[in-house]
Amino acid sequence: MKKNSFRQIVLCAALMLSGAVHTQAAGPVRIIPQPVQMEERAGVYVLPEKIVIGYESALQAQAKYLQELLVQSTGRMATLKEGKAKGDIVLRTDSAGLKAEGYTLSVTPKRIEITGADVNGAFYGIQSMLQLFPAEIYSQRWQRQVAWEAPCVEISDAPERPWRGMMIDVARYFYDKEFIKKYIDMMAMYKFNKLQFHLIDDSGWRLEIKKYPRLTEVGAWAGPDEKRLGGFYTQDEIREMVEYGKVRGVELIPEVEFPAHILSAVVAYPWLSCTGLQHEVPTQHFISRDLLCAGKETTLQFLQDVLEETAELFPSAYINIGGDEAVYTRWESCPHCQAVMKREGLSKASELQGYLTNKVAEMMKKKNRTLIGQVYEVQGADAFNSEDYATAIAVFSKGYEADPRNTGMALNLAESYFRSDMYQDGMKICANISSLNADKYAEAIAEAQAKMNMYTNNEVAKLQMANDYDGIIAMAEQLDDAAMAQKITMQASYGK
């Protein structure tokens, strides 16, 4: 065959394929995470040209979410109709027989019905339904020549773990509001429900605080004018992101670091530190010796003001305060800090961190907020390295006895290791917690075991370790199941 003839045949084939309707490859139904119960049935549901979405009033926001997604990707017309039993796709809630955030999904050739135990459960039913359609369903543009079909299934599902979280650090590298929304969308796709929002660090202050405007006027920016880096979120933008997450079942948990990792605030207000010296917001990460001064009443007032405004913006019951990598040399030589140590009967400067944290925790109790952070924050605990598991467990046990909500202290440390390369360290801490007296620490042991299971047995945990879309795609490529890997890759690609 002549080369030109071969080219003509290839060109003709390409033209023929361009007009073909894309269909999903036949095979077993794959939903991530895998539902508790799923039964495949004969037949398919074909999305009609004119879609009616029926919903009960409590699910109006979720129905609108589904409407917008279907219209933009399929090009179909979708209308909303309030009413539990009316529509091609019906959304309702009914807690009978379902765990919190659970749902049932019924796909027949005639219609799709989703019943959630609550609003979040109904939303997760929507996510499972979307995964049944071709991955182009997630596109932000109209995808022509796609067969919008879903296999018939009966699903009953509920999450094993109440806390399914990810973390994003916008303090060191700022991402705008629209990026955060995309991040929330990707979390929601796989039914994650907690986003730790790391807003404050040495490298930048990203949260507008009305009472202290220089935090964002000065502390949000680093570098000279021509190479200026940074940014921040206005309070209106925070409210918008919180509401965006709420519709998608994602709770935003603010992280406001102290007493270390807060140089951005010290630059804006030098009186917050022990020395009062003027600094610059760093363009490269390093561990600053300039902590908030634990001996000044003005420091406590500053933290109260900042965290009260934070609590007004974030309805979450939790505020993360970090607390790691504090260098105590300034406190050791500060007359204000030394005076507090003498008054409180503290023998080491490191104990001031527990003192400061306890003061702030009492303030936040009045706002019905619980502080979570590293174990360094516990009264009387010294900083320790990842090998000192006995200290971690001792601190955990002491904190748990004082208040069971302090479970988060040791488990947060384990979580930080899981997010780094020190997976084994995190596993050892959880394993040690799991070996404690079951009657005494039943709730905490269950949570520790859950973390161990999440990071050893659950395929979705591999996705949790990724902090961007390309990372999710890369991790998908490592899965043994080629069909599942392909679906994750397509879904993540459309999320970009």
Side-chain angles (χ1 to χ4, degrees):
M1 182 183 291
K2 292 182 180 180
K3 186 179 290 186
N4 287 343
S5 298
F6 178 77
R7 287 177 177 171
Q8 288 174 350
I9 291 173
V10 172
L11 178 60
C12 289
L15 290 172
M16 291 172 64
L17 288 172
S18 67
V21 174
H22 169 67
T23 59
Q24 291 197 89
V29 175
R30 303 287 187 180
I31 293 178
I32 306 168
Q34 182 177 334
V36 175
Q37 295 179 351
M38 180 170 66
E39 182 181 348
E40 298 181 43
R41 301 286 180 89
V44 296
Y45 173 81
V46 179
L47 200 65
E49 291 293 334
K50 296 182 179 180
I51 310 162
V52 176
I53 301 172
Y55 67 94
E56 64 177 60
S57 58
L59 298 174
Q60 183 177 24
Q62 288 68 34
K64 185 172 177 59
Y65 159 88
L66 178 59
Q67 177 193 38
E68 292 175 354
L69 191 147
L70 292 177
V71 169
Q72 72 181 11
S73 60
T74 71
R76 265 49 169 182
M77 180 184 295
T79 57
L80 301 181
K81 191 169 186 179
E82 186 173 336
K84 294 184 179 181
K86 302 174 183 177
D88 303 298
I89 302 174
V90 177
L91 309 177
R92 63 170 70 93
T93 59
D94 184 354
S95 60
L98 289 172
K99 295 180 180 179
E101 298 185 291
Y103 67 91
T104 59
L105 169 61
S106 175
V107 180
T108 69
K110 292 184 177 180
R111 71 190 322 191
I112 295 176
E113 295 183 357
I114 296 170
T115 302
D118 43 39
V119 172
N120 285 357
F123 181 81
Y124 295 143
I126 292 173
Q127 295 308 307
S128 291
M129 180 202 74
L130 292 173
Q131 290 193 38
L132 296 174
F133 286 97
E136 289 88 347
I137 198 83
Y138 297 101
S139 177
Q140 295 180 3
R141 297 184 182 88
W142 180 15
Q143 299 296 301
R144 297 172 174 82
Q145 307 301 328
V146 176
W148 297 112
E149 299 176 352
C152 292
V153 293
E154 296 291 330
I155 293 174
S156 179
D157 192 19
E160 291 185 4
R161 316 299 179 199
W163 191 291
R164 306 177 302 280
M166 295 188 75
M167 187 268 273
I168 188 166
D169 183 348
V170 297
R172 292 182 178 88
Y173 301 99
F174 180 70
Y175 299 103
D176 64 20
K177 175 186 67 176
E178 296 307 315
F179 181 94
I180 302 302
K181 286 183 175 181
K182 284 187 177 182
Y183 198 87
I184 292 170
D185 283 334
M186 292 298 290
M187 289 180 62
M189 183 187 294
Y190 298 111
K191 306 180 179 72
F192 289 102
N193 67 347
K194 309 289 183 184
L195 175 56
Q196 184 177 325
F197 205 4
H198 185 66
L199 292 161
I200 311 302
D201 214 293
D202 292 330
S203 303
W205 187 286
R206 310 303 180 199
L207 176 62
E208 180 188 25
I209 300 296
K210 300 289 189 180
K211 198 163 187 177
Y212 298 95
R214 284 177 59 82
L215 289 173
T216 48
E217 291 173 359
V218 176
W221 309 97
D225 291 341
E226 65 274 12
K227 295 182 180 179
R228 197 181 192 208
L229 301 172
F232 67 94
Y233 307 110
T234 66
Q235 293 196 357
D236 284 343
E237 287 177 322
I238 291 292
R239 293 187 186 96
E240 183 180 338
M241 289 185 283
V242 166
E243 182 61 28
Y244 192 87
K246 181 181 177 182
V247 171
R248 291 155 179 78
V250 176
E251 176 185 344
L252 273 65
I253 301 168
E255 181 173 354
V256 179
E257 289 254 14
F258 76 86
H261 289 282
I262 197 168
L263 185 61
S264 53
V266 172
V267 171
Y269 296 101
W271 50 264
L272 287 169
S273 70
C274 292
T275 66
L277 296 176
Q278 182 65 60
H279 297 275
E280 292 184 352
V281 178
T283 56
Q284 280 192 313
H285 175 66
F286 75 105
I287 298 176
S288 172
R289 293 189 302 158
D290 286 279
L291 313 182
L292 293 183
C293 181
K296 296 178 182 176
E297 288 299 318
T298 50
T299 298
L300 290 172
Q301 187 62 54
F302 171 80
L303 288 172
Q304 180 173 345
D305 294 338
V306 166
L307 293 176
E308 283 184 353
E309 286 196 38
T310 302
E312 290 297 321
L313 294 169
F314 293 89
S316 172
Y318 299 98
I319 296 178
N320 194 305
I321 57 174
D324 62 329
E325 298 179 325
V327 180
Y328 303 115
T329 53
R330 299 291 195 205
W331 287 356
E332 291 169 350
S333 59
C334 173
H336 300 289
C337 293
Q338 292 300 307
V340 170
M341 287 179 60
K342 184 177 180 179
R343 186 187 73 206
E344 299 295 325
L346 306 179
S347 59
K348 293 178 288 186
S350 60
E351 293 175 333
L352 282 168
Q353 185 163 359
Y355 158 80
L356 189 61
T357 302
N358 289 343
K359 287 284 190 181
V360 175
E362 286 301 316
M363 297 175 189
M364 289 298 99
K365 279 183 181 178
K366 297 175 183 177
K367 293 289 183 179
N368 295 315
R369 297 296 190 272
T370 298
L371 300 185
I372 57 176
Q374 300 281 13
V375 289
Y376 305 102
E377 298 286 2
V378 178
Q379 172 73 51
D382 288 323
F384 55 86
N385 60 41
S386 62
E387 297 300 322
D388 197 351
Y389 308 113
T391 302
I393 302 310
V395 169
F396 157 77
S397 302
K398 179 179 177 181
Y400 189 87
E401 288 170 2
D403 186 343
R405 293 176 298 179
N406 288 337
T407 300
M409 292 293 185
L411 292 177
N412 190 265
L413 175 69
E415 183 81 13
S416 69
Y417 293 141
F418 287 137
R419 286 201 306 264
S420 68
D421 293 328
M422 299 186 289
Y423 306 123
Q424 295 304 317
D425 294 329
M427 293 295 290
K428 287 179 182 178
I429 291 174
C430 281
N432 277 284
I433 293 176
S434 298
S435 68
L436 296 174
N437 184 294
D439 293 331
K440 191 173 185 180
Y441 301 111
E443 181 181 351
I445 288 172
E447 190 172 348
Q449 289 172 337
K451 284 191 180 295
M452 291 177 68
N453 292 338
M454 178 175 286
Y455 286 93
T456 53
N457 301 329
N458 193 339
E459 286 181 322
V460 178
K462 298 176 183 178
L463 302 179
Q464 185 175 10
M465 301 309 297
N467 62 2
D468 56 29
Y469 308 133
D470 293 327
I472 290 175
I473 293 171
M475 289 190 177
E477 292 171 352
Q478 303 302 314
L479 297 178
D480 294 332
D481 190 322
M484 184 180 290
Q486 182 182 24
K487 189 150 198 170
I488 296 172
T489 300
M490 292 183 71
Q491 290 168 346
S493 297
Y494 280 114
K496 284 188 175 183

